[in-house]
Structures are given as C-alpha cells and as structure tokens.
C-alpha cells in the first residue's frame, strides 16, 4: 500500500466560456485566480487555476475553457460532485448568496452527518459546499465573503461508477480506507490527509456512459510531496498493471496520469514547486504566463484569448 498520497492536489474541468468561469470562481465563490496560463498541449486554450491565496494543493480547481463546446452528458465513469469545505454554520450565508447570484441547482441536504448545499457551475458542473468541523486551512479573503464562511479548499470528490469495487480497491492501494457507507455511496478517507482527503464512490449500475463536454471534470489529481515520492508511486502503480505516463513537467508541479478501471482519469501531482515559481505571490494569476516551449507564440496566443479582466 502507498503512503505518499496526501489527498487531492487539483481538479481539472472543461468549460464553454472563460469569462463566465472566471467570474463564477473569483466573484461568486470568492476563490483566488492563482494562475492564468494555457493548456500546455493545446496552447490556444486557457488553463485557469482557482484556489486559496497561495494555490495550496487540495484547494486548486482548474479549467480548460474550449469556446462553444457542447455540454457533457452525465453518466457513469466520471467525476460527479466536487465538494468544497466551509466552516460549520456557513451554509445559510451561501444559500442566500448563491440564490442572489442566480446560481442554479441549489439543494440543501445532508450526507454522512454533514450539512451539504449542492449547486451548479456555469456549465451545469456539479458542486457542493459541506460544513466541515475542524478544518484548519486558511481561506482566501474575497470581497463580500466573511472569513467564517469562506471556502477552505476541497472537501471531497464523488465518482459516479457502474461498479465501484475496482475503484475502491485501487484507492485502498493508494492509501485510502473505507470510512462509511450511505445507500449506494461509499466514502473512503486518507487518514492524516491534507484536508481534501475524502473520495465518495457512487454506484450507478444502470447509468449510460458519461460523455465528455462542458461541465465535465477532465481528471482529478492526487498530491504527493515531491518528485521522488511521485517516482515511487509511479513504479508501484505500474507494477499493479496500470499504463502510467512518464513524469511530465507542468511548470507548477510534475504530473503522471493513468486511467482507472471505472473510466476516470487520475493524475498524481507534486506539491513542488508551486504557483509562486514564476510570479510574485502578491500578484498570482494576473499576467498571462506561458511555458517555455510556447513562449514564442505569445503574440498569437494573446490575440486569440478572450481578455478576462
Ligand atoms: Zn491535472
């Protein structure tokens, strides 16, 4: 069993409109844009990062906005809900704020004994806020959001699967333990994790396969401290029979990727070097940053991308 994985590092999704996505995460949810760059594999598309003030692993939501792509079809083999942790007592503030902002899909409930407020992102993305006691993470301070309500980082992601068994087995190998069951949902927890250390597995035997599009989570990334730990995880995952990529330089972290039995794409990303690598921490996310291999395209890229601010 692996011991290096700390919880989630980031969640990466697809959107149809860069400006709507940017406004939703910065203004509505009060997160900080910590990086404005491009998709390293398709540099005419943004890669936008929203997180706490420092871009701490476990708080980082990232987006590829592909202009005008069709919405996804919900189904099996995808990430369903991405949930954020907020302090106990914060949900009434959020219910009122999100309703005022015209956010769709608002629904209050409870899961595993914790109050939950579900809502949708600009492309019908499934999100939730969960009242989470004892979360010591420091939130970003945004206009109009009191410190005692602000988002701390991810609480969990829920995977929607035809058969949760192989995914549960993989997560146990990655260091997670089964913590609770609620109907068709199993919660796995990484003990002593980084706050974003819960994964819910939802069995939906009869569901059609999900189809990727706007509002889809493209992949989820798990955090490891550094490249040595990542190399060990890579060897172990490969030895289990998974087809894992080499360690890839993503400028702000190193990444490996592999497809899981349930169809969800997993990444393992390093906590180092982080988002202050090429920007003053006081000005994260303001300038368009390009990786060295695409720096010569700056003029063309700047002409193509829609301005955000
Ligand atoms: Zn990623």
């Amino acid at each position: 069993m692996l011991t290096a994985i700390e919880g989630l590092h980031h969640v990466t999704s697809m959107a149809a409109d860069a400006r709507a996505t940017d406004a939703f995460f910065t203004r509505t949810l009060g997160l900080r844009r910590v990086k404005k760059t491009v998709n390293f594999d398709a540099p005419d598309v943004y890669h936008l990062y929203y997180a706490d003030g420092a871009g701490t692993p476990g708080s980082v939501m990232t987006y590829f906005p592909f202009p005008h792509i069709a919405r996804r079809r919900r189904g099996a083999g995808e990430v369903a809900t991405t949930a954020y942790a907020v302090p106990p007592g914060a949900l009434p503030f959020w219910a009122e704020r999100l309703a005022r902002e015209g956010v769709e899909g608002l629904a209050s409930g409870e899961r595993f004994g914790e109050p939950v407020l579900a809502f949708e992102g600009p492309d019908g993305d499934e999100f939730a806020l969960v009242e989470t006691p004892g979360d010591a993470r420091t939130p970003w301070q945004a206009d109009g959001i009191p410190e005692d309500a602000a988002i701390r980082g991810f609480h969990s992601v829920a995977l929607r699967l035809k058969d949760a068994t192989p995914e549960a087995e993989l997560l146990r190998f990655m260091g997670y333990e089964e913590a609770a069951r609620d109907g068709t949902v199993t919660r796995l927890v990484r003990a002593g994790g980084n706050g974003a250390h819960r994964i819910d597995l939802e069995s939906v035997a009869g569901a059609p396969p999900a189809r990727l599009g706007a509002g889809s989570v493209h992949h989820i990334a798990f955090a490891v401290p550094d490249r040595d730990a990542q190399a060990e995880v890579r060897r172990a995952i490969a030895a289990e029979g998974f087809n894992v990529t080499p360690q890839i330089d993503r400028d702000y972290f190193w990444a490996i990727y592999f497809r899981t039995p349930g169809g969800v794409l997993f990444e393992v990303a390093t906590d180092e070097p982080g988002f202050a690598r090429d920007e003053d921490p006081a000005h994260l996310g303001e300038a368009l940053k390009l990786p060295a291999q695409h720096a010569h395209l700056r003029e063309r890229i700047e002409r193509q991308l829609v301005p955000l601010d």
Side-chain angles (χ1 to χ4, degrees):
M1 195 185 83
L2 300 172
T3 55
I5 289 169
E6 303 162 309
L8 293 170
H9 184 287
H10 63 268
V11 175
T12 293
S13 290
M14 294 160 66
D17 184 329
R19 292 172 68 94
T21 300
D22 196 70
F24 186 75
F25 284 91
T26 58
R27 291 212 299 275
T28 305
L29 296 186
L31 297 172
R32 186 183 195 192
R33 190 174 73 217
V34 294
K35 196 60 63 184
K36 180 165 73 170
T37 183
V38 293
N39 183 334
F40 286 14
D41 303 318
D44 51 344
V45 172
Y46 272 125
H47 196 182
L48 303 171
Y49 291 73
Y50 305 95
D52 67 2
T56 308
S59 76
V60 185
M61 185 76 219
T62 100
Y63 268 86
F64 297 129
F66 291 97
H68 313 303
I69 54 165
R71 277 204 182 181
R72 68 163 167 162
R73 182 180 70 195
R74 288 187 189 186
E78 66 172 350
V79 175
T81 305
T82 302
Y84 284 110
V86 295
L91 288 189
F93 165 83
W94 282 105
E96 199 268 327
R97 179 181 178 85
L98 298 182
R100 198 179 57 233
E101 298 269 331
V103 171
E104 294 187 22
L106 285 173
S108 297
E110 195 182 287
R111 183 159 266 184
F112 298 113
E114 295 167 328
V116 175
L117 176 66
F119 62 98
E120 290 181 359
D123 295 293
D125 331 39
E126 296 158 82
F127 286 107
L129 297 167
V130 183
E131 290 191 359
T132 313
D135 191 322
R137 293 177 288 176
T138 307
W140 175 240
Q141 305 266 301
D143 281 350
I145 300 175
E147 207 266 337
D148 63 3
I151 287 172
R152 265 48 186 175
F154 293 126
H155 169 278
S156 57
V157 292
L159 314 186
R160 194 159 39 221
L161 304 161
K162 256 191 179 352
D163 174 9
T165 310
E167 219 84 352
E169 196 180 320
L170 170 62
L171 285 162
R172 279 195 294 271
F173 179 72
M174 292 169 68
Y176 284 74
E177 296 161 44
E178 188 174 321
R181 270 175 202 248
D182 180 356
T184 56
V185 182
T186 304
R187 171 159 295 174
L188 291 107
V189 171
R190 174 74 178 103
N194 63 4
H197 55 257
R198 305 166 193 86
I199 305 273
D200 290 346
L201 302 181
E202 208 177 312
S203 293
V204 285
R211 194 175 53 215
L212 210 60
S216 289
V217 172
H218 183 267
H219 63 268
I220 58 172
F222 294 86
V224 290
D226 53 35
R227 287 180 71 190
D228 288 345
Q230 187 184 51
E232 261 175 56
V233 168
R234 187 183 180 283
R235 273 192 296 274
I237 298 277
E240 289 294 299
F242 290 95
N243 191 7
V244 195
T245 67
Q247 291 174 288
I248 300 170
D249 185 359
R250 294 305 192 192
D251 277 16
Y252 312 105
F253 47 86
W254 288 74
I256 58 173
Y257 304 87
F258 60 102
R259 184 75 61 183
T260 65
V264 178
L265 184 62
F266 277 11
E267 174 184 343
V268 177
T270 58
D271 292 343
E272 56 167 17
F275 294 96
R277 178 182 178 269
D278 59 355
E279 265 180 316
D280 178 349
H283 295 281
L284 288 180
E286 293 176 13
L288 178 69
K289 308 305 286 187
L290 297 178
Q293 65 270 31
H294 299 319
H296 66 287
L297 300 174
R298 176 171 287 275
E299 203 180 316
R300 195 192 86 193
I301 289 171
E302 283 183 346
R303 223 174 25 241
Q304 282 176 349
L305 294 174
V306 54
L308 297 181
D309 301 303

